[in-house]
Amino acid sequence: MVIWIIGLSGSGKTHLAKKIFNDLTKKNKKCFLVDGDIVRKYISFNLGYSIKDRKINSKIITNLCKFLEINGYIVICSILSIFPSHQKNNRKKFKRYIQIYLKSDLAKLIKINSKKVYSKKNVVGKDIKFPTPY
């Protein structure tokens, strides 16, 4: 099973993913937490934030989740996920796929700017459209 948590930066994706992970591991479930920021830091660190690089990063994360699913993990993934086509493919790729969308008010996220993301360029929601998932 893959639980795919999506939303804008600062919407609470990582917080929710950690909560789900902790709840499942307390029940002795074999889980793995995949966070888009961590993958970018350690696996796809050579990629930038262009649309092309974001697509590559998204595919890397999907493939990592598939690898973990094949190996018997419940995967909890927190990622921006701005490509509807990738979300659609996920529904076909994974045996069991649950998508959670954390809808947030962009103006509030920009004001809070907890990760200092919204002062940069090529920011999803500000410079790059965040398509509402279906």
Side-chain angles (χ1 to χ4, degrees), residues 21-35:
F21 176 83
N22 290 334
D23 289 349
L24 290 172
T25 54
K26 284 178 187 173
K27 295 175 183 175
N28 294 319
K29 301 292 183 181
K30 186 177 171 184
C31 300
F32 200 96
L33 179 59
V34 175
D35 185 277

Side-chain angles (χ1 to χ4, degrees), residues 1-2 30-32 63-75 94-95:
M1 173 191 328
V2 174
K30 186 177 171 184
C31 300
F32 200 96
N63 289 335
L64 173 60
C65 291
K66 184 61 182 178
F67 170 78
L68 292 165
E69 180 194 48
I70 288 168
N71 284 282
Y73 287 91
I74 296 171
V75 183
F94 300 114
K95 289 180 186 174

Side-chain angles (χ1 to χ4, degrees), residues 4 6-8 51 54-55 79-87 91 99-104 106 123-134:
W4 195 263
I6 63 178
L8 292 170
I51 294 296
R54 287 175 183 277
K55 283 184 179 180
I79 179 175
L80 282 167
S81 193
I82 62 170
F83 304 108
S85 62
H86 291 186
Q87 296 164 19
R91 287 178 174 80
Q99 181 175 290
I100 301 170
Y101 169 46
L102 300 180
K103 186 175 181 179
S104 301
L106 178 61
V123 177
V124 173
K126 189 182 92 176
D127 306 311
I128 299 171
K129 184 180 181 333
F130 182 85
T132 303
Y134 60 96

